[in-house]
């Protein structure tokens, strides 16, 4: 699709002393892949919605599809209006694959324009994620890096390796951050090994090293997330903080912009820096996002056009503005880890950690190593043994079969046997099969598990 060139003025070279405050918004988009196509074929849930319009809210299929591509119209419009809009995009790998399966060139062309056009690159930043929208705390540790790499492969195949090199931030599905020491360490280590520089985290999923909650100021400044495993090894990554809980109205009505307008520079190390109000929400889900967001997005950026002290900046752009002064950033850790370290009293090793977890759990009903996400009223573990057990068994069988073969010959990952088994494993780890309760979604999980086992037996 040919698009008329967008006339954009030169982007300002922002300086810290010229800005009072900043904000950034991310749009999270996801549809799972389900075994519900013709003869049980794997299809996008978006396609299922289109083919079954009378079920539930499936009539929203095309409005959803429009949401997946509409930034390709909103961003150029605002640029032509003299604004400097910013948006971060977070699309699951299964959703991107679904667009390909469905032949939705309208969506893919819009996303290619946002990703690869030289002008759009100033305004749009992609965030990496897990390919299969897995929730990190309950995903088998060996699969964390596979999920990260699969998303990168999908993205590069669609938009090119140069575009992938510009994806520096990571958005964990459901904002679900592991707090088990070994899972968090493996997660952060994998992110760093895959080239990611920063992570978006929910404020209530982290704590200071002394166990205290983040201060008010900390929520609007970069922090350094420290991950230490049961053997005492450490790795860290920059964390930008998403404030408050899950509410699409926060982004749908551009609350981050209006909050930032009332803020002033904050101390960070030996300098004063503009605070960053960061938010993420489903980009298509709910009436506010489907109907109210476009006009609110336009209105907010028009307001910013008339005053230069508050600006929209994407995450990586903000960190570049701070000139990577991470030596002054507060160190934080996953929530409840201080309580665990106190119980360990310096002991190390997986057995000691598990014993300490048991002691903490017995003494405190609120203690949990299931991780923390945008909400605490849902568990992706409790009541889902019929999904988690098979998932863990399939993962173990996959690695038992392939890990040594891949170590001997890396080309094994290109074989149909490996890819079919990996596909079903990553799909089984999709959060949706443990979000919507028992029923058809857990039945989908059972079918994916059976197909994964069949693939491993060949």
């Amino acid at each position: 699709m040919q698009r008329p060139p967008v006339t954009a003025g030169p982007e300002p070279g922002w300086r810290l002393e010229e800005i009072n405050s900043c904000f950034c918004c991310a749009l999270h988009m996801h549809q799972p892949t389900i075994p519900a196509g013709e003869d049980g074929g794997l299809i996008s849930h978006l396609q299922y919605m289109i083919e079954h319009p009378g079920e539930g809210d499936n009539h929203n299929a095309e409005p959803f599809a429009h949401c997946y591509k509409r930034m390709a119209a909103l961003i150029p419009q605002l640029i032509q209006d003299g604004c400097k809009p910013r948006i971060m995009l977070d699309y699951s790998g299964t959703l991107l694959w679904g667009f390909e399966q469905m032949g939705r060139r309208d969506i893919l062309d819009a996303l290619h324009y946002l990703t690869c056009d030289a002008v759009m690159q100033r305004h749009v930043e992609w965030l990496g994620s897990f390919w299969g929208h897995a929730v990190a705390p309950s995903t088998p540790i060996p699969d964390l890096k596979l999920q990260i790499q699969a998303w990168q492969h999908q993205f590069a195949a669609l938009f090119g390796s140069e575009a992938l090199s510009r994806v520096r931030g990571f958005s964990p599905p459901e904002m679900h951050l592991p707090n088990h020491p070994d899972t968090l360490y493996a997660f952060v280590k994998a992110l760093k090994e895959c080239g990611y520089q920063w992570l978006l985290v929910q404020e209530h999923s982290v704590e200071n090293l002394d166990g205290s909650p983040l201060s008010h100021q900390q929520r609007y400044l970069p922090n350094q997330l420290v991950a230490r495993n049961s053997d005492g090894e450490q790795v860290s990554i920059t964390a930008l903080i998403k404030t408050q809980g899950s509410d699409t109205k926060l982004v749908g009505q551009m609350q981050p912009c209006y909050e930032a307008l009332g803020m002033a520079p904050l101390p960070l190390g030996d300098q004063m820096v503009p605070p960053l109000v960061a938010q993420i929400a489903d980009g298509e889900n709910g009436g506010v996002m489907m109907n109210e967001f476009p006009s609110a997005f336009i209105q907010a950026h028009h307001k910013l056009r008339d005053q230069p002290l508050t600006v929209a900046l994407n995450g990586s752009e903000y960190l570049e503005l701070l000139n990577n002064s991470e030596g002054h950033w507060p160190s934080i850790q996953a929530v409840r880890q201080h309580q665990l370290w106190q119980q360990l009293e310096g002991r190390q090793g997986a057995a000691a950690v598990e014993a300490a977890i048991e002691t903490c759990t017995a003494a405190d009903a609120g203690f949990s190593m299931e991780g923390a996400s945008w909400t605490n009223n849902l568990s992706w573990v409790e009541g889902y043994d019929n999904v988690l057990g098979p998932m863990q068994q399939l993962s173990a069988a996959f690695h038992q079969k392939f890990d040594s073969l891949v170590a001997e010959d890396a080309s094994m990952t290109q074989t149909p046997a490996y890819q079919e088994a990996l596909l079903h494993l990553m799909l089984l780890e999709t959060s949706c099969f443990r979000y919507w309760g028992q029923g058809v979604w857990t039945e989908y999980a059972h079918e994916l598990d059976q197909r994964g086992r069949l693939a491993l037996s060949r």
Side-chain angles (χ1 to χ4, degrees):
M1 176 181 176
Q2 289 293 105
R3 296 180 183 271
V6 175
T7 303
E11 279 287 296
W14 302 117
R15 294 194 301 173
L16 286 176
E17 61 270 21
E18 297 175 337
I19 303 172
N20 276 354
S21 57
C22 318
F23 76 93
C24 65
C25 291
L27 301 179
H28 169 64
M29 312 286 198
H30 169 59
Q31 291 285 349
T33 297
I34 57 177
E38 185 176 355
D39 297 323
L42 295 176
I43 63 169
S44 171
H45 185 253
L46 180 63
Q47 180 177 340
Y48 182 89
M49 291 175 69
I50 291 172
E51 294 175 352
H52 301 81
E55 296 182 15
D57 66 351
N58 287 1
H59 58 277
N60 285 325
E62 282 304 326
F64 278 13
H66 175 71
C67 292
Y68 297 138
K69 63 182 180 180
R70 66 185 176 188
M71 297 311 300
L74 293 176
I75 296 292
Q77 175 186 337
L78 284 167
I79 295 172
Q80 296 291 48
D81 291 346
C83 302
K84 296 176 174 60
R86 295 293 189 273
I87 198 69
M88 298 189 295
L89 300 178
D90 162 16
Y91 285 54
S92 70
T94 55
L95 179 60
L96 294 173
W97 186 40
F99 296 154
E100 291 187 283
Q101 287 181 301
M102 298 171 68
R104 291 300 297 254
R105 291 308 319 173
D106 57 330
I107 301 175
L108 290 170
D109 288 347
L111 295 181
H112 190 275
Y113 170 63
L114 290 171
T115 308
C116 300
D117 179 83
V119 174
M120 293 302 107
Q121 288 172 22
R122 302 179 191 173
H123 304 271
V124 180
E125 177 173 11
W126 279 89
L127 302 178
S129 194
F130 289 140
W131 185 86
H133 204 269
V135 282
S138 53
T139 298
I141 287 177
D143 301 340
L144 294 170
K145 191 172 184 179
L146 293 177
Q147 287 274 3
I148 294 168
Q149 291 175 320
W151 186 93
Q152 291 181 312
H153 179 82
Q154 179 86 56
F155 187 86
L158 285 172
F159 307 121
S161 57
E162 193 278 330
L164 177 62
S165 71
R166 290 184 272 107
V167 183
R168 292 173 281 178
F170 192 89
S171 174
E174 310 292 353
M175 284 289 102
H176 212 178
L177 186 73
N179 63 347
H180 188 288
D182 292 331
T183 308
L184 180 63
Y185 176 84
F187 177 44
V188 174
K189 185 170 183 286
L191 289 176
K192 301 279 282 191
E193 290 174 349
C194 291
Y196 288 102
Q197 298 175 7
W198 61 273
L199 175 68
L200 188 64
V201 302
Q202 167 69 34
E203 64 171 298
H204 298 117
S205 68
V206 290
E207 64 184 15
N208 289 306
L209 298 188
D210 63 2
S212 64
L214 269 58
S215 69
H216 179 77
Q217 291 188 356
Q218 268 181 285
R219 294 182 295 169
Y220 302 101
L221 295 170
N223 291 264
Q224 199 69 8
L225 177 65
V226 178
R228 179 175 63 168
N229 69 8
S230 58
D231 293 324
E233 299 172 299
Q234 288 192 11
V235 65
S236 65
I237 191 169
T238 297
L240 294 180
I241 309 300
K242 172 201 174 300
T243 60
Q244 305 182 61
S246 176
D247 186 350
T248 52
K249 290 182 181 179
L250 294 174
V251 173
Q253 298 175 351
M254 292 300 289
Q255 178 272 345
C257 172
Y258 300 104
E259 182 178 357
L261 281 168
M263 300 181 74
L266 297 172
L268 182 64
D270 58 0
Q271 60 182 340
M272 299 295 290
V273 303
L276 178 74
V277 184
Q279 276 297 339
I280 183 171
D282 288 353
E284 82 283 53
N285 200 9
V288 172
M289 288 309 299
M290 283 193 287
N291 303 314
E292 299 178 25
F293 170 73
S295 60
F297 188 73
I298 292 170
Q299 182 179 7
H301 283 91
H302 281 173
K303 188 174 185 65
L304 294 183
R305 180 183 56 189
D306 302 326
Q307 60 79 43
L309 296 179
T310 295
V311 299
L313 290 180
N314 287 326
S316 295
E317 192 176 23
Y318 175 72
L319 293 172
E320 289 173 358
L321 180 69
L322 300 190
N323 198 27
N324 298 318
S325 55
E326 58 187 72
H328 300 298
W329 297 346
S331 294
I332 59 174
Q333 62 192 4
V335 70
R336 294 288 189 173
Q337 286 198 341
H338 176 69
Q339 190 173 349
L340 179 65
W341 303 138
Q342 281 192 311
Q343 182 63 40
L344 277 165
E345 297 181 326
R347 298 188 302 276
Q348 294 184 355
V353 167
E354 292 309 313
I357 290 173
E358 289 183 12
T359 301
C360 290
T361 303
D364 180 357
F367 182 87
S368 171
M369 284 282 114
E370 290 184 16
S373 66
W374 49 259
T375 181
N376 290 325
N377 66 351
L378 288 172
S379 172
W380 279 267
V381 175
E382 187 176 346
Y384 288 107
D385 290 342
N386 59 332
V387 176
L388 284 170
M391 184 181 84
Q392 292 160 353
Q393 293 164 15
L394 183 63
S395 174
F398 174 86
H399 291 283
Q400 182 177 13
K401 178 172 182 176
F402 286 113
D403 281 4
S404 60
L405 297 175
V406 172
E408 294 174 7
D409 181 4
S411 67
M412 172 59 66
T413 61
Q414 304 304 310
T415 63
Y418 178 94
Q419 293 185 354
E420 183 180 359
L422 177 62
L423 171 64
H424 286 88
L425 174 59
M426 289 193 298
L427 290 179
L428 180 58
E429 291 168 350
T430 300
S431 67
C432 301
F433 304 125
R434 285 172 284 142
Y435 182 90
W436 297 109
Q438 298 291 331
V440 65
W441 288 95
T442 51
E443 291 171 10
Y444 287 153
H446 177 73
E447 178 62 26
L448 291 168
D449 173 56
Q450 294 302 306
R451 295 185 191 185
R453 293 176 185 275
L454 181 61
L456 285 174
S457 69
R458 292 172 181 160

